[in-house]
């Protein structure tokens, strides 16, 4: 356990590039491993989740190295060319690694044993087991379709036409990856559109992917057996990671922070739309396209107002509700978030973890099965008069969100374990300190702020 404390901080100022997008990084490695020749990846997220995917792909036969210039080189095995790993694949905390790799491996004639940490072993795998079984793979999983599990990949995979029962890019991507080594056309139907990084990158490397938009969703058809060809891939900065400094900038008086090169794929930007609805001073500049749309995003301190977040926005901001709850706590009026059922099966039960954290900070809220209403304090939460202690439940986003709450509060906020932050945002503490945030281990004296930081005010 590595506790961390965020102290009330002076204005946050400066500009920085958050680390690479986690979703896109996983996909770049997996598709690079499935392509012929070399895929050179710039801006790869070097967080534990993605490093776990790289380690697993090496066990499956791909050659993956980090080069001296910080880019990553993947020498792939071609479609259907993965080999049976000679050991258990341990995917740590990463649901994306587990579900997408199951898809990729499901149409290879081999046996794979898969496990993860205590958080991942609690998460449901039935959502990928079901469609992948229809494609010919078979599974022996623990009760409730949890890890550890044994998968026998299909020797003779069959294409499916499958309507997603939950809005999940992980399930969609698992099926698309399985379809690569399946003859014929596999079709995934989603009622609500989810992040389309897999579709974009599959096309980039030469797969035939046809997308037909239908209402709020889409029908995605992929032709099996393409010869994917390795190509350069640039990973944008992760909007889900940028979100923490952005909300810190909006809630700490006097702040102005710019996050550079952030992915602005419209299927990922629900948080930014919501913050704008709340009256946030958020501006986008230098919009450009680098395989995915990117821009520089500036957040200036703003008086936010409570809003009703429509449930159909959930897929485009599913990882951002914890940090939105922090923004909502500072707003004037109540913020209503609906359609949150999926939060219950993330790295933790995020709905319960956010609610418990708000309670510890003296913020009034109401939680339903898939709903959260936060009564904003129109500024720093006054109920937080003695500081707060937050239980993070092995969940990086709970840890980072409540540290951000502490920066804009009047008393420190301590999270019980900052260790899991490294899964998605290695260097988070240094990154935030360079902007002027006072985040440190409990009892540690304040470090001099680097970069453009104005330094924090010790409590
Ligand atoms: C991800 C999709 C989302 C998200 C996760 C990453 C992906 O999960 O929560 O952090 O890379 O496809 P679901 O697709 O299960 O909603």
């Amino acid at each position: 356990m590595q506790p961390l404390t965020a102290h009330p901080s002076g204005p946050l100022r400066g500009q920085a590039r958050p680390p690479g997008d986690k979703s896109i990084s996983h996909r770049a490695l997996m598709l690079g491993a499935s392509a012929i020749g070399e895929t050179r990846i710039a801006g790869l997220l070097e967080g534990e989740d993605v490093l776990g995917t790289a380690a697993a792909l090496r066990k499956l036969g791909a050659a993956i190295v980090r080069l001296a210039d910080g880019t990553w080189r993947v020498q792939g095995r071609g479609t259907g060319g993965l080999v049976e790993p000679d050991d258990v694949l341990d995917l740590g905390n990463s649901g994306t690694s587990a579900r997408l790799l199951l898809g990729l491996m499901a149409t290879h004639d081999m046996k794979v044993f898969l496990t993860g940490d205590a958080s991942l072993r609690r998460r449901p795998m039935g959502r990928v087991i079901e469609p992948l079984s229809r494609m010919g793979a078979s599974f022996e999983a623990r009760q409730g379709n949890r890890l550890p599990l044994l998968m026998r990949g299909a020797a003779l995979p069959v294409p499916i036409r499958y309507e997603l029962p939950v809005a999940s890019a992980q399930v969609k991507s698992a099926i698309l990856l399985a379809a690569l080594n399946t003859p014929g056309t596999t079709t995934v139907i989603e009622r609500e559109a989810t992040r389309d990084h897999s579709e974009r990158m599959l096309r980039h490397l030469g797969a035939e992917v046809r997308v037909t938009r239908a209402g709020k969703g889409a029908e995605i058809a992929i032709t099996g057996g393409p010869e994917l060809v390795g190509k350069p891939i640039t990973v944008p900065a992760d909007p889900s990671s940028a979100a923490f400094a952005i909300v810190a900038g909006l809630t700490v008086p006097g702040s102005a922070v710019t996050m550079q090169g952030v992915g602005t794929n419209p299927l990922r930007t629900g948080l930014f739309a919501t913050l704008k609805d709340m009256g946030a001073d958020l501006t986008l500049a230098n919009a450009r396209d680098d395989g995915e749309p990117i821009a520089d995003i500036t957040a200036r301190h703003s008086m936010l107002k409570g809003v009703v977040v429509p449930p159909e926005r959930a897929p485009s901001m599913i990882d951002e509700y914890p940090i939105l709850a922090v923004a909502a706590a500072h707003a004037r009026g109540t913020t209503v978030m609906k359609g949150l059922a999926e939060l219950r099966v993330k790295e933790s039960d995020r709905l319960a973890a956010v609610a418990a954290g708000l309670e510890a900070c003296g913020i009034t809220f109401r939680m339903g099965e898939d709903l959260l209403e936060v009564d904003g304090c129109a500024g720093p939460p006054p109920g937080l008069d003695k500081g707060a202690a937050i239980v993070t439940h092995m969940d990086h986003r709970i840890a980072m969100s409540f540290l951000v709450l502490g920066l804009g509060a009047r008393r420190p906020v301590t999270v019980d374990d900052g260790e899991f932050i490294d899964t998605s945002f290695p260097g988070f503490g240094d990154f935030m300190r360079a902007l002027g945030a006072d985040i440190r281990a409990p009892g540690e004296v304040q470090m001099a702020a680097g970069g453009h930081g104005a330094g924090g005010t010790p409590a």
Side-chain angles (χ1 to χ4, degrees), residues 55-324:
L57 289 167
R58 285 191 194 106
K59 289 188 181 157
L60 291 159
I64 302 179
V65 286
R66 183 185 198 275
L67 303 175
D69 65 357
T71 63
W72 286 67
R73 188 182 65 207
V74 183
Q75 276 154 326
R77 300 196 54 96
T79 307
L82 300 177
V83 297
E84 184 174 280
D86 65 0
D87 199 356
V88 178
L89 300 185
D90 183 343
L91 297 167
N93 194 250
S94 176
T96 311
S97 311
R99 299 201 179 103
L100 269 60
L101 283 171
L102 278 173
L104 189 62
M105 300 183 301
T107 49
H108 286 71
D109 184 8
M110 61 189 188
K111 278 188 194 157
V112 186
F113 297 84
L114 209 77
T115 191
D117 70 10
S119 156
L120 187 56
R121 294 197 306 273
R122 280 193 291 268
R123 298 179 66 185
M125 293 296 144
R127 53 184 58 199
V128 287
I129 288 178
E130 213 251 326
L132 297 175
S133 300
R134 293 196 198 187
M135 297 179 84
S138 62
F139 297 82
E140 289 290 341
R142 222 158 48 80
Q143 252 184 20
N145 280 326
R146 322 249 158 197
L147 299 180
L149 63 71
L150 159 65
M151 182 184 74
R152 290 185 189 81
L156 295 170
V158 286
I160 56 170
R161 184 179 165 81
Y162 189 75
E163 182 168 331
L164 298 178
V166 281
S168 167
Q170 293 185 352
V171 180
K172 170 176 65 175
S173 300
I175 299 168
L176 295 178
L177 292 173
L180 283 175
N181 198 34
T182 301
T185 300
T186 296
T187 306
V188 183
I189 298 147
E190 49 181 13
R191 282 187 296 244
E192 295 168 272
T194 65
R195 64 191 73 189
D196 61 355
H197 307 305
S198 301
E199 295 90 309
R200 287 171 183 255
M201 204 183 289
L202 279 162
R203 276 209 205 96
H204 177 60
L205 299 188
E208 198 187 319
V209 180
R210 293 171 305 283
V211 179
T212 318
R213 297 265 159 234
K216 282 183 277 166
E219 189 168 310
I220 303 122
I222 177 166
T223 309
E227 193 78 276
L228 297 183
V229 180
K231 287 213 183 108
I233 294 174
T234 304
V235 181
D238 196 326
S240 302
S241 296
F244 300 107
I246 286 174
V247 170
L250 294 174
T251 54
V252 175
S255 298
V257 296
T258 299
M259 296 292 104
Q260 298 164 317
V262 178
T264 52
N265 181 318
L267 295 166
R268 292 289 297 281
T269 49
L271 174 73
F272 303 144
T274 303
L275 291 171
K276 284 212 157 188
D277 291 350
M278 295 172 83
D281 182 351
L282 269 189
T283 48
L284 264 68
N286 296 328
R288 51 211 189 269
D289 203 291
D290 209 353
E292 290 266 349
I294 58 174
D296 302 335
I297 304 179
T298 298
R300 292 185 182 79
H301 176 251
S302 307
M303 188 63 236
L304 302 174
K305 62 173 195 291
V307 292
V308 177
V309 188
E312 57 272 18
R313 205 176 272 170
S316 68
M317 55 177 294
I318 193 66
D319 292 334
E320 280 65 79
Y321 285 102
I323 192 64
L324 176 63

Side-chain angles (χ1 to χ4, degrees), residues 22 25-26 29-30 44-59 64-66 70 72 90-94 97 101 422-424 426:
K22 180 156 74 75
S25 295
H26 285 298
L29 290 170
M30 290 184 203
L44 188 85
L45 169 64
E46 295 177 353
E48 281 170 8
D49 282 9
V50 173
L51 298 179
T53 287
L57 289 167
R58 285 191 194 106
K59 289 188 181 157
I64 302 179
V65 286
R66 183 185 198 275
W72 286 67
D90 183 343
L91 297 167
N93 194 250
S94 176
S97 311
L101 283 171
D422 285 350
T423 60
S424 70

